[in-house]
Amino acid sequence: MFAPEALYISVAILTVAFLIRRRRRASSLPLPPGPRGWPLIDNLFDWPFESAWIPFAAWSKVFGDIIHLKIFGLHIVIISSYDTATSLMTQASYSDRPILTMVGKLMNFTPSIVLAPYGDHWKSMRRITQQSLNRSSSLAFLPSQLGDARLLLQELLVHPENYIGAIRYALGKNIIENTYGIRITSPSSEYVKLSRETHEVIQNAVVPGSFFVDVFPALRFIPEWFPGAGFKRLARIAKARGEHMVDGAFDAAKKAMASEDSMVSLVGNLLSSEGPKEMTREEYEYTIKWAAGSLYGAPPDLPYLICSSKTTSGIATFLLTMVLFPDVQKKVQAELDAVVGRKRLPTFEDRASLPYLEATIKESLRFHPPTPLGIAHRLIEDDVVQGYHIPKGAIILPNIWAMNMNEKQYEHPERFNPERYLGPSPALESPVFGFGRRACLGVHYSTAAIFITVASILSVFDLRAQDKDGKDVEIEPAFTGGKQMMVTCLSNRQTELTIPPFPPHSRSHPKPFPCRLISRSPESIELIKAGTSML
Ligand code: HEM
């Protein structure tokens, strides 16, 4: 007679046997190839200090698309192939993040979406954020994005030299308003200031080598009064500011909902709904608070909290390419003039009729991605890939920059050529928004922001490679690079990072470059001045 118990037991035994065998088999296989290290310190001295994506790309030509490095026992795997990254990083086992000590544990930012480990809290935050940021829901943000682009033009008319600061403020204002429904009226508004102040203390904390706890996570247990334990004091201040920022903005959003001129916001919409049945109201509000806190902010260089910074980097690279390649700029403007004309400013309705501009945006993101090494994932269990053993706990870094420079994928990848995205068989879009279950949640929102910002600027301004006196200057394009990466990995050897796996400098943006914004005509100036009243 058939006994179901016997079947269950047999299946369980076979599964365990399979897993043990797989594990044994996996660990008997070779690790992926990579530079040969030294005893004990492994590849410590191989680790590139500057713009690591470039030497990693050169190694991939020698070792192949999967490179292995080890630093004090920590396995790091760098993937340079789009197909391999896509097939691996969509799997649940590749969807964890490294655990952080200073920023995550001591400063308490682990509950944010970007840092949260793969698990229930992260899944709930991701689900509710996706509800508001998916393709159709993000259409609700377009009117405010258009309004902020018009305000930006007015600011650029008065202070054209501060174009990066003005763009950063416009994007940050828009995120805070849409997330919390709190009205932001100037760069000195409370929640912009709070975000900047939190940023200041965290920024100090992530400077590599400043704190031994970066390298020895166990030091976090020493008391604050102990000589040399200044980092504990800093962590305490950052934690308090972070809590004030995340909790304070959440409470302000609740108050804003009750006010007469309340704005539609992500937090407001979520709080108005019941939430999932399996969650208590308290759990649901905690999830909303951290989901919102993860999107919050205006200042740059805080990629683990501040999403608008990557959009600013993307726009800065676009503007750089416009001054580097004036012929492309002329073509973009010719298209804008043909579709929008010179008597009004662009709107989102024009987007589908501006394929050359869309192609130029895609090409500038490919030309230099805002996060050339993505954001690190962490492997939850042993795996075998192309006959190599990838050990549990390995840090997985996708080399997006190398993928964008792959000759097999892109003809003359070093050339800036928007045409590759036009025609019947356009090139592959660069994976700048990351991979799999952890892929960027802001893709629709941020591509809309990039479109309306650059379309608005180019319809009324010419961008020239000139100094402030109007003298033409040669531009040698240069991008910020990633000094922190080694400290990141050092401190992560116990899978507890103090420096994030995506430290400030893993976000890369153009180094300051001369760029003069000159209004295209007297009519352009009138359009800018009338811009917001025409909405
Ligand atoms: C050009 C602009 C942007 C770029 C290039 C970008 C890129 C990325 C990348 C590479 C990741 C990591 C994906 C991975 O782990 O594989 C990421 C994660 C994320 N992004 Fe963006 N991002 C941008 C703008 C934004 C904006 C504006 C928002 C919010 C409105 C946002 C929200 C997020 C969130 C919440 C995550 C974490 C996802 C998770 O860990 O589950 N991003 N982004």
Side-chain angles (χ1 to χ4, degrees), residues 89 97 113-115 122 126 129 133 175 294-295 307-308 310-311 314 365 370-371 374-377 398 400 431-443 445-446 450:
M89 291 166 102
R97 295 272 193 228
I113 307 183
V114 189
L115 297 191
W122 168 77
R126 187 141 179 131
T129 310
L133 289 177
I175 290 233
S294 314
L295 309 179
C307 299
S308 58
K310 284 176 271 174
T311 316
L365 287 171
T371 50
I375 294 181
H377 290 215
I400 295 175
V432 285
F433 292 101
F435 298 90
R437 297 166 196 229
R438 303 288 310 218
C440 179
L441 282 161
V443 54
Y445 173 90
S446 63
I450 296 175

Side-chain angles (χ1 to χ4, degrees), residues 245-313:
M245 186 177 95
V246 176
D247 295 353
F250 185 65
D251 292 342
K254 283 181 165 174
K255 280 200 199 109
M257 279 172 77
S259 75
E260 287 204 338
D261 66 336
S262 67
M263 299 161 75
V264 177
S265 74
L266 182 143
V267 168
N269 289 347
L270 290 168
L271 283 175
S272 316
S273 82
E274 293 261 302
K277 283 194 188 65
E278 66 279 8
M279 266 188 190
T280 63
R281 185 72 194 175
E282 201 184 334
E283 285 165 347
Y284 181 52
E285 290 204 8
Y286 177 79
T287 308
I288 300 173
K289 184 179 81 176
W290 273 104
S294 314
L295 309 179
Y296 177 18
D301 292 329
L302 255 192
Y304 38 90
L305 270 187
I306 308 300
C307 299
S308 58
S309 66
K310 284 176 271 174
T311 316
T312 310
S313 302

